[in-house]
Amino acid sequence: MKLKIKDFIISHWGALACAIFVSILVVLQQILFCIEHKVPEQSTERIELLPDSPWSPRVREIQDGHSFGNIYNKQGKDNPYLFQPLGSMIVAYMGMLFSLGINNTILLSRIVLPFVVFLLIYWFALLLSRDKLVSIVIAAIFLLADPFLTYTGIS
């Protein structure tokens, strides 16, 4: 078993390195924000890193135990869900596994999920093309094209 894992890492080292690089690119913005806006530890002030993110309230509600229902109003917490909760549940349970707060949970998801998605796209493209370089480029384009082609941060 140990030999198979070593052979796998050696044969797909480029994809693993690119997946790590893409994960760092995705999470770097939030890490730099944390460093820039660090609050002194004796202060009770908290900085919410993602106030306008749709993930933050959904993940917080799931961490609070209300995985279905209305996430914005007090009534209807136990009614059937208004949105598909699988993505929010994955992120929330990943944070609950490590006992993280909402900001660190989102940060962890931004590190882990792009890595996993890159490798999944890479292996799917590898099944279709049988070329490792083409598969790496396809996975990188799928994950990095949207942030580079949208102008939401530019005012």
Side-chain angles (χ1 to χ4, degrees), residues 3-4 11 16 21 33 44 52 70 76 82 84 92 95 98 128-129 136:
L3 186 60
K4 287 184 180 181
S11 65
L16 292 171
F21 179 71
F33 182 83
T44 57
D52 59 341
N70 193 343
L82 300 172
Q84 297 297 324
F98 297 109
L128 295 177
S129 70
I136 290 172

Side-chain angles (χ1 to χ4, degrees), residues 77-92:
K77 297 269 185 204
D78 297 324
N79 292 340
Y81 55 85
L82 300 172
F83 59 92
Q84 297 297 324
L86 181 63
S88 304
M89 291 173 99
I90 290 171
V91 173

Side-chain angles (χ1 to χ4, degrees), residues 132-148:
K132 291 180 185 177
L133 183 61
V134 170
S135 301
I136 290 172
V137 169
I138 289 172
I141 287 173
F142 268 102
L143 286 178
L144 297 177
D146 184 49
F148 286 125

Side-chain angles (χ1 to χ4, degrees), residues 49-128:
L49 297 181
L50 302 167
D52 59 341
S53 172
W55 285 97
S56 188
R58 291 188 216 165
V59 171
R60 186 182 307 270
E61 283 297 318
I62 291 173
Q63 284 182 339
D64 289 343
H66 305 287
S67 58
F68 300 111
N70 193 343
I71 60 172
Y72 299 107
N73 297 327
K74 189 173 181 178
Q75 344 29 337
K77 297 269 185 204
D78 297 324
N79 292 340
Y81 55 85
L82 300 172
F83 59 92
Q84 297 297 324
L86 181 63
S88 304
M89 291 173 99
I90 290 171
V91 173
Y93 292 146
M94 191 170 25
M96 289 170 61
L97 182 68
F98 297 109
S99 300
L100 299 174
I102 186 68
N103 291 334
N104 292 331
T105 299
I106 300 293
L107 182 66
L108 178 68
S109 72
R110 286 186 175 181
I111 293 171
V112 172
L113 295 178
F115 180 80
V116 171
V117 169
F118 185 95
L119 291 179
L120 288 174
I121 294 171
Y122 166 76
W123 282 311
F124 182 71
L126 189 64
L127 285 173
L128 295 177

